[in-house]
């Protein structure tokens, strides 16, 4: 291997390392809107702990501010597998909002991921997609 080939390989490795570091740190924000819902996801890392917060707001006509809403939240799988969110359950709206959050040490939301939120309330179903 000559010096030029070694330099090229070093440059390629350095580029991949830089992209991986950029991909795996910082803050991610995703938003979306559907017919009756809007949502915002914020994921940020601080001292090795990832905080994830998803705020979903009901934008449709509503008579009951404490309406129970069943939700399923999923992300796209990625090759490193640490981006996945799989939240599900039923919560009551509070001021037309649902707030979901978690903290973890070994997780990440990829910068190009989408989050799909399936919502059910009063016999209605709707899908909300959050993206960049």
């Amino acid at each position: 291997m000559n010096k030029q080939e070694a330099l090229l390989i070093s440059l390629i490795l350095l580029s991949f390392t830089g992209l991986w570091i950029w991909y795996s740190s910082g803050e991610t924000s995703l938003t979306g809107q559907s017919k009756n819902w809007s949502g915002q996801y914020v994921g940020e890392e601080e001292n090795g702990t990832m905080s994830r917060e998803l705020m979903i707001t009901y934008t449709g006509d509503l008579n009951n501010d404490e309406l129970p809403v069943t939700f399923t939240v999923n992300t796209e799988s990625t090759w490193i597998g640490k981006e996945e969110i799989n939240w599900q359950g039923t919560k009551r709206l509070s001021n037309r909002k649902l707030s979901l959050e978690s903290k973890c040490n070994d997780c990440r939301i990829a910068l190009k991921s989408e989050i799909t939120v399936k919502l059910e309330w009063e016999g209605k179903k709707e899908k909300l997609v959050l993206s960049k």
Side-chain angles (χ1 to χ4, degrees), residues 8 57 61 76 110 119 124:
L8 180 61
T57 305
D61 295 330
E76 297 175 343
L119 300 152
K124 300 175 188 172

Side-chain angles (χ1 to χ4, degrees), residues 64-92:
N64 181 358
D65 192 37
E66 293 186 5
L67 180 73
V69 178
T70 300
F71 59 88
T72 303
V73 182
N74 292 305
T75 58
E76 297 175 343
S77 295
T78 61
W79 62 276
I80 59 174
K82 295 180 182 179
E83 289 79 19
E84 290 188 50
I85 290 180
N86 293 303
W87 294 336
Q88 57 185 358
T90 300
K91 286 184 84 170
R92 292 191 176 277

Side-chain angles (χ1 to χ4, degrees), residues 22-51:
W22 172 76
Y23 173 83
S24 64
S25 63
E27 180 178 299
T28 299
S29 178
L30 306 173
T31 59
Q33 182 83 34
S34 65
K35 182 179 178 184
N36 292 292
W37 299 91
S38 67
Q40 179 177 16
Y41 167 85
V42 176
E44 57 188 10
E45 183 177 357
E46 187 175 316
N47 299 326
T49 300
M50 181 71 174
S51 298

Side-chain angles (χ1 to χ4, degrees), residues 61-123:
D61 295 330
L62 181 67
N63 295 329
N64 181 358
D65 192 37
E66 293 186 5
L67 180 73
V69 178
T70 300
F71 59 88
T72 303
V73 182
N74 292 305
T75 58
E76 297 175 343
S77 295
T78 61
W79 62 276
I80 59 174
K82 295 180 182 179
E83 289 79 19
E84 290 188 50
I85 290 180
N86 293 303
W87 294 336
Q88 57 185 358
T90 300
K91 286 184 84 170
R92 292 191 176 277
L93 290 177
S94 176
N95 294 320
R96 302 176 72 90
K97 296 179 190 270
L98 290 177
S99 179
L100 309 171
E101 56 187 277
S102 72
K103 293 183 185 271
C104 51
N105 292 324
D106 192 27
C107 60
R108 165 72 43 220
I109 289 296
L111 295 175
K112 294 184 178 179
S113 281
E114 286 187 345
I115 296 178
T116 301
V117 182
K118 294 179 183 173
L119 300 152
E120 294 183 37
W121 75 104
E122 292 187 327

